[in-house]
Amino acid sequence: MRIENAQGLCCPSCRMPLALWVKVPAGSEVETGLLTCPCCQVTVPLLHGFPLFTEQGLGSPEDPEAMLAALERRLFGGPGEYGRFLRRKAERPAAYDLYAAFDPFNESTRSILPIVPLLGEELRPGERILDLSCRSGFSGAQLAALFPEQTVFSLWDGDSGMLGYRGYHHWLGRGLGRAALPVNWEVLFHCADEPLPFADGSFAMVHGFDALHRLRPRPLLPECLRVLRKGGVLCFPHVHLSNGEPQPFFERGGAQRHGREYRRYFDRLLAGSGRRAWVLSERRLFADGEGPPGVVLHDDAETPHYNALILIADTRHEGRRLQREAQPPLDLGDAQVLLNPLFAIDLGRGVAVVDPKGLDGGAATLLERHPPYRERLRRLLPVTLGRLDRLALYWAQRLLPVRDIAARLGVSVDEVLLHLRSLEAQEVVRLLNVGPALAALHRYHATQREPILPGTATLGRLWRQAVERHGDRPFLIWPDDGSEFLYRDADVAVRMAAGWLRARGLGADDRILLQSASRPEFVFLFWAAVSLGISVVPVSAAASAPTISWAREASEARFSVLAADYPGLGEQLAQVEPAALPDDGEAPRPVIEDHEAVVLLTSGSTGAP
């Protein structure tokens, strides 16, 4: 099937619209294919929904499907490979990416917030935003949250940095199942300082966090102006200036130019366009307490500060008063609660304090390199946590969004937001509609441990993870005959038991009664049942017939396996083809952590069980 002008992408060489050659069932979402230029024969692979301009080639391959399959194996690896890499990494000394963990709270990242109202006035629903440098995933997610009526296209350099192809696929693509990219966010792999693969005037806004001093000015800036529509806005947060140096001094990367040099350059570049450039002090935009509330939009190219935001917009905005940390009128019921990695939160004592030893000592480094933020924290600390604060943070640590936290606590969303917004003002959290995948990625940056997404902390998941991690280690030793089962051996038996249960018409929300002493078959049946969403009612092997009858009736068990059945059960299971255990998100009715797993009877020592 041929789809013309896929996603509005163009050939970086000749700017002809790219066509997408791909074979997919009608109505399916295109995940894999080959973008081709009919003019210069450039080909760009599309894998897992990501256009890989960093892997472009020449000429159409003889067997596109075989080429794409081989490329997918080489670039993305097999199923679960990246997850295994994360677990191996967790067993080694921590290697934090400090700035990725700090992104949501960094004054550089937040310097765009005071100009969000201005940007919102310039953007129309349905327009597109180009995000030039999405290193950690956060810049694109923040833009998608701040501008939900627009679509964000984020670029990253390729299979490099902290995420690369596999990391993006695992965290922000399909790797986490239901937690895919937000609907208004697309990710492409392309070097931003090379010709951009978009048509002229494709974007209403170009955003380049940490890009202006890191990338080559040519062709970056002419290309940004080319793909920007008439009257569009350019915003470059966090530009290293040579105006001043941090105290105490620390080395900064990239080209460092004086603010007046940027101003002169953009004055020449924008002459006659109706737009102008403002060099704005990042420190003042962050609201560090200096001067009256708000910042007036005047050029500050002579600032003594060493970081700036450069805004290019219509000249009519000159003299406009900007709001410090302006929050757009968004529904925060679905917002994620991102926890500040610089804080140690003690829910028992009800206090949150900055921990310089956090992030394996990296917190002290961040505080040293961010004096404006350090000064803000000094004014705010200590933070005392009330009862509802602590309960909300408890569930926030489990990645629940605001609306679900309110449901757990039995209070209104507005009441939870009142407390969380107070904690946000004290820098303990940040509320942003970035979705569970980005929240999980941020938690990983802050802890070096892969978190479990809400709703997926199930026994079936636990079994799959155990088999994946410990496949060649002993799982069960049966002393009666000396049988030993490795985890992968036991997994075969569990899947046989799952097939045996399914053949009897059992599925999610059913209950089965299992009477047994400790036997391997009981163990296999238990893990098979809970993986299928079947609730288990275990009964002692010594239970009498009346007790079993009562337990079956009281629990409404649909099926029973009694102690007398076990001698021949092993042979029955051995005759069953192993069934595939469903992923939690792929079962006909997904198994979630709130579903019932086990019904336990009491011992009955003083009465009936």
Side-chain angles (χ1 to χ4, degrees):
M1 182 172 73
R2 187 179 184 186
I3 303 175
E4 296 289 345
N5 197 18
Q7 295 184 344
L9 299 177
C10 293
C11 174
S13 301
C14 68
R15 299 180 189 167
M16 285 286 290
L18 294 176
L20 177 60
W21 291 86
V22 64
K23 291 181 179 180
V24 294
S28 297
E29 191 171 320
V30 176
E31 291 285 319
T32 300
L34 199 62
L35 297 159
T36 63
C37 173
C39 179
C40 59
Q41 299 302 303
V42 167
T43 61
V44 178
L46 175 72
L47 294 173
H48 295 294
F50 299 121
L52 306 181
F53 285 90
T54 43
E55 303 292 335
Q56 62 184 287
L58 292 175
S60 298
E62 293 183 3
D63 188 346
E65 292 182 2
M67 183 274 288
L68 288 169
L71 195 62
E72 180 181 7
R73 288 192 298 272
R74 179 170 67 84
L75 299 179
F76 288 87
E81 184 174 316
Y82 187 80
R84 288 190 290 273
F85 158 74
L86 292 178
R87 288 187 286 275
R88 290 195 301 270
K89 186 172 181 285
E91 295 172 356
R92 302 168 186 161
Y96 289 94
D97 187 307
L98 297 180
Y99 278 89
F102 189 45
D103 263 344
F105 301 89
N106 194 334
E107 70 270 21
S108 303
T109 307
R110 291 155 63 177
S111 63
I112 190 177
L113 296 181
I115 62 172
V116 165
L118 181 155
L119 297 173
E121 293 174 11
E122 296 288 341
L123 302 177
R124 297 186 287 268
E127 290 192 309
R128 304 198 299 178
I129 297 170
L130 178 60
D131 176 35
L132 292 172
S133 183
C134 192
R135 187 184 76 88
S136 69
F138 184 75
S139 64
Q142 176 172 251
L143 289 170
L146 294 175
F147 303 101
E149 295 184 328
Q150 288 74 35
T151 299
V152 177
F153 283 71
S154 287
L155 306 183
W156 181 236
D157 296 351
D159 200 17
S160 61
M162 50 170 298
L163 289 177
Y165 302 145
R166 299 183 189 195
Y168 261 98
H169 171 53
H170 178 82
W171 293 105
L172 303 174
R174 300 297 178 191
L176 291 182
R178 288 170 289 169
L181 292 174
V183 293
N184 66 327
W185 187 22
E186 300 287 344
V187 174
L188 298 81
F189 289 94
H190 179 77
C191 295
D193 54 357
E194 296 180 1
L196 297 172
F198 304 105
D200 296 358
S202 296
F203 296 93
M205 172 181 163
V206 175
H207 171 270
F209 176 81
D210 201 30
L212 203 53
H213 61 266
R214 185 175 66 85
L215 302 173
R216 296 174 296 165
R218 296 188 60 87
L220 173 66
L221 293 172
E223 278 290 278
C224 288
L225 291 172
R226 178 184 69 78
V227 303
L228 197 66
R229 68 155 166 81
K230 184 178 180 180
V233 181
L234 286 90
C235 180
F236 294 98
H238 194 56
V239 179
H240 289 180
L241 299 180
S242 63
N243 296 30
E245 295 292 352
Q247 297 294 333
F249 176 79
F250 58 84
E251 198 65 49
R252 297 176 294 150
Q256 296 173 34
R257 300 176 176 86
H258 198 280
R260 73 173 77 94
E261 186 179 348
Y262 279 116
R263 184 182 59 197
R264 288 197 297 264
Y265 175 82
F266 282 111
D267 284 347
R268 293 193 299 269
L269 194 64
L270 300 170
S273 69
R275 288 178 292 188
R276 63 155 299 176
W278 290 269
V279 180
L280 305 173
S281 164
E282 182 180 282
R283 186 182 183 113
R284 292 191 178 123
L285 286 173
F286 179 62
D288 57 10
E290 297 177 4
V295 178
V296 175
L297 188 56
H298 289 315
D299 184 71
D300 196 14
E302 301 294 338
T303 176
H305 301 148
Y306 50 88
N307 288 327
L309 178 145
I310 297 181
L311 172 68
I312 299 168
D314 194 290
T315 56
R316 75 178 187 279
H317 294 297
E318 170 68 23
R320 173 179 179 144
R321 184 169 293 279
L322 306 177
Q323 301 178 42
R324 286 183 168 173
E325 297 256 4
Q327 289 289 344
L330 299 175
D331 177 13
L332 290 177
D334 295 321
Q336 294 290 326
V337 185
L338 306 179
L339 303 178
N340 193 330
L342 301 185
F343 276 80
I345 299 174
D346 189 331
L347 297 180
R349 295 172 54 217
V351 65
V353 296
V354 171
D355 179 13
K357 297 180 180 178
L359 299 172
D360 202 23
T365 301
L366 288 171
L367 290 169
E368 181 180 350
R369 293 173 71 99
H370 292 265
Y373 194 74
R374 186 176 67 236
E375 292 165 12
R376 172 176 281 194
L377 291 180
R378 284 174 178 167
R379 293 195 299 271
L380 295 173
L381 295 175
V383 177
T384 302
L385 305 174
R387 176 181 176 276
L388 202 144
D389 296 331
R390 286 180 279 174
L391 291 171
L393 288 172
Y394 172 85
W395 290 112
Q397 289 172 344
R398 284 144 185 83
L399 301 180
L400 264 62
V402 172
R403 201 177 309 279
D404 289 355
I405 293 174
R408 292 277 185 174
L409 301 183
V411 299
S412 69
V413 170
D414 288 342
E415 185 174 355
V416 171
L417 278 174
L418 182 67
H419 286 262
L420 289 175
R421 293 303 291 267
S422 175
L423 292 175
E424 186 176 41
Q426 297 174 90
E427 296 296 325
V428 179
V429 303
R430 184 167 177 209
L431 304 176
L432 206 59
N433 292 35
V434 293
L438 196 282
L441 175 57
H442 177 255
R443 183 63 52 80
Y444 173 76
H445 291 324
T447 64
Q448 292 291 286
R449 294 291 185 272
E450 186 175 9
I452 298 175
L453 288 174
T456 66
T458 63
L459 290 170
R461 176 190 175 101
L462 178 65
W463 176 256
R464 291 191 300 275
Q465 287 183 336
V467 172
E468 189 176 277
R469 297 178 184 182
H470 311 298
D472 291 325
R473 295 177 180 173
F475 165 70
L476 185 149
I477 298 174
W478 179 235
D480 283 17
D481 60 8
S483 300
E484 180 176 326
F485 296 87
L486 304 179
Y487 273 86
R488 54 183 167 81
D489 299 331
D491 186 53
V492 174
V494 168
R495 289 187 287 113
M496 286 177 172
W500 188 80
L501 292 171
R502 281 176 169 170
R504 280 146 184 80
L506 298 167
D509 297 328
D510 287 331
R511 288 177 180 166
I512 63 171
L513 185 144
L514 300 181
Q515 182 202 25
S516 176
S518 296
R519 294 183 57 95
E521 296 92 335
F522 172 85
V523 177
F524 303 147
L525 280 170
F526 171 83
W527 285 109
V530 295
S531 295
L532 297 174
I534 300 170
S535 180
V536 175
V537 185
V539 178
S540 167
S544 65
T547 297
I548 294 172
S549 178
W550 174 84
R552 184 189 297 118
E553 182 178 349
S555 65
E556 299 179 345
R558 277 194 59 201
F559 188 77
S560 300
V561 179
L562 305 181
D565 300 326
Y566 281 89
L569 185 58
E571 294 181 5
Q572 292 184 45
L573 297 183
Q575 297 172 10
V576 177
E577 188 71 22
L581 297 179
D583 287 337
D584 297 327
E586 297 178 358
R589 181 175 178 194
V591 181
I592 64 173
E593 58 194 15
D594 286 343
H595 284 173
E596 176 188 291
V598 176
V599 177
L600 287 175
L601 280 66
T602 66
S603 65
S605 58
T606 59

